[in-house]
Amino acid sequence: MDYSRLWSTLDENRIVNAIGKVLIDPAVPKVCHNAAFETFVHRWLYGHQLRSPEDSMIAFNVMWPELDKNLSVAASILTMQSYWGETTDWRNQADRDTYNAIDSCVCLEAWQRLMAEFTPAQRAYYTTQRDLLEPCGAMAFEGLAFGASARDALVARIQGEVFDAQGQL
């Protein structure tokens, strides 16, 4: 596979910045399949905080929690798209572009179908799960604040309880 640069550094920065403006704008609709991954990766690689994403994987899991959340499973139930997960030649840019275009369209189509079929209770549950994407993404990226002294005190207390319990055996 040829990994040579397609754009100059200046052009690449312009493209990444333009994409970033779309991703961080909460008014621009975005649908992902596994937005938790997309949220983390875009922030890690480019500093973009994905705002207000919808998630076809969460929606599919709300509708059918017993099924695999893979996009190809969702597509087989919700769309007329035949399986597209393989390509003739991954080294071929046109094949990769076709795969990515189908993947994006199927993701959107599956999410739209699920939104149309949700009961009010399913929609409420989906909304709760979706609304956790941004704060959980921030926690995954930034970590969680904790008090070391409070942790040490808790560990000491638990160890004391364990030692007391062992002495009673």
Side-chain angles (χ1 to χ4, degrees), residues 10-155:
L10 179 61
D11 287 342
E12 185 174 317
N13 288 337
R14 286 178 179 155
I15 292 166
V16 168
N17 288 335
I19 291 169
K21 288 177 183 175
V22 170
L23 294 178
I24 67 172
D25 185 347
V28 175
K30 294 164 277 295
V31 178
C32 305
H33 194 80
N34 193 2
F37 174 79
E38 300 293 340
T39 299
F40 183 82
V41 168
H42 280 283
R43 185 142 181 217
W44 182 264
L45 292 176
Y46 306 111
H48 304 148
Q49 281 189 266
L50 193 60
R51 298 288 186 194
S52 303
E54 299 292 345
D55 193 323
S56 59
M57 186 175 82
I58 292 173
F60 187 75
N61 188 249
V62 168
M63 184 70 80
W64 290 290
E66 69 280 9
L67 297 179
D68 187 338
K69 297 176 288 201
N70 188 302
L71 183 57
S72 63
V73 174
S76 71
I77 295 170
L78 298 166
T79 75
M80 299 297 292
Q81 177 63 46
S82 59
Y83 182 69
W84 72 102
E86 300 296 326
T87 184
T88 307
D89 184 0
W90 285 104
R91 295 169 295 180
N92 180 299
Q93 184 68 42
D95 285 355
R96 289 195 314 273
D97 289 348
T98 300
Y99 168 84
N100 286 321
I102 293 171
D103 205 62
S104 297
C105 291
V106 166
C107 180
L108 176 60
E109 184 180 353
W111 178 80
Q112 289 172 329
R113 282 278 313 277
L114 288 161
M115 292 299 105
E117 294 181 20
F118 272 172
T119 65
Q122 288 171 321
R123 183 174 304 283
Y125 184 67
Y126 167 77
T127 300
T128 300
Q129 296 299 308
R130 183 211 52 216
D131 289 349
L132 290 171
L133 285 168
E134 287 185 51
C136 288
M139 286 187 287
F141 186 79
E142 298 165 8
L144 296 172
F146 73 97
S149 60
R151 179 208 52 210
D152 293 343
L154 177 62
V155 169

